[in-house]
Amino acid sequence: MIRSVITAASGLTLFAAATGPAIAQEDGVSEQDSPPTPRLEDGTVDLGGNGVWDLPWIRDFEEFIVEEGGTAPMLPWTRAMRDYNRANQSLYDPEGFCLPPGGPRAFGTHYPAEMNQHRDRIIVIYEGGGHVWREIHMDGRPHPEGDALNPTYFGHSVGHWEGDTLVVDTVGYNEKTWLDYSGHMHTDQMHTLERITRPDRDTLHYEITITDPGAYSEPWTIAWDIPWSEGQDLSEYICQENNQFLIDLKDDFGNPFFEKTTGAE
């Protein structure tokens, strides 16, 4: 089985070791050394540029809860599933099968990402995992309601600016993802509120409040910093390229499906 999240081992060592809500600047670079926040012609913060956001690997969301000493307010079934997933070393992690990370995990999966701003929407393109993109509507539209709200991996996102903070409200998540590698679950009742700022060119501060009455007794908030990589481009990444799942498939009689259908030895 391929675990797409556990590639680029040298980068994972840096981020897995972090235990607080912020990621330290690399190589001793301080905020004072970073160029100022880039802006568009109308003065709006530019979340893109000539480079990519080097997303960290956030293994366990509980380590990044904003409230000091806070824990995820899991319901009994959520805690039982989290414990089960941990005991199985996250063997059944959907992202390990090349499915999209979805929800807040997308900003905590260790691959680069681009943010492209347009007049009426912001597009986030992720290099790794399912090699997917996300659309944030900025034209003031409401969320669809009832049957019109089709549950998806990333949900339906609408955003607006509060000063220099991008606020993104998202509903309509499906239940096909985990919140993180540690196995925190969620339901299709999940509602997230993201607050994204760029205090300088080289830092994106990401904060998200998770509200899901089907899985947690109250809302909880996590946050971390994401470093900018000037001049870097996204690369082609195909998670399914070396997926061994089909080779391991067996028919109803326990015979390897691959050998039966192709005659391979």
Side-chain angles (χ1 to χ4, degrees), residues 136-217:
I136 302 170
H137 300 287
M138 300 291 291
D139 56 3
R141 72 180 65 185
H143 292 303
E145 297 182 356
D147 293 339
L149 182 61
N150 179 37
T152 59
Y153 283 94
F154 287 96
H156 185 272
S157 297
V158 296
H160 67 275
W161 290 96
E162 293 183 1
D164 286 345
T165 300
L166 174 64
V167 180
V168 184
D169 186 289
T170 305
V171 297
Y173 291 105
N174 63 33
E175 297 182 347
K176 298 179 181 181
T177 67
W178 293 3
L179 285 180
D180 59 14
Y181 176 75
S182 277
H184 288 92
M185 311 298 286
H186 70 86
T187 72
D188 58 7
Q189 299 178 56
M190 183 167 70
H191 172 203
T192 62
L193 189 67
E194 297 160 287
R195 301 181 67 86
I196 302 172
T197 57
R198 191 174 189 177
D200 55 66
R201 189 200 68 175
D202 295 329
T203 307
L204 193 75
H205 184 68
Y206 180 75
E207 179 179 298
I208 181 167
T209 298
I210 300 167
T211 301
D212 184 354
Y216 301 93
S217 60

Side-chain angles (χ1 to χ4, degrees), residues 22 24 73 78 107 146 178 185 243:
T78 323
F107 276 93
W178 293 3
M185 311 298 286
N243 194 332

Side-chain angles (χ1 to χ4, degrees), residues 19-21 58-74 79 82-83 86 180 182 184 216 220-222 224:
T19 57
I58 306 299
R59 177 188 178 93
D60 187 345
F61 277 8
E62 286 194 87
E63 295 180 359
F64 292 82
I65 291 178
V66 171
E67 180 184 354
E68 185 175 356
T71 59
M74 292 175 277
R79 184 174 300 279
R82 192 281 310 271
D83 293 345
R86 283 185 173 179
D180 59 14
S182 277
H184 288 92
Y216 301 93
W220 52 298
T221 301
I222 52 179
W224 54 82

Side-chain angles (χ1 to χ4, degrees), residues 246-247 256-265:
L246 292 177
I247 296 176
F257 185 78
F258 181 79
E259 294 182 3
K260 183 183 71 173
T261 56
T262 66
E265 297 181 359

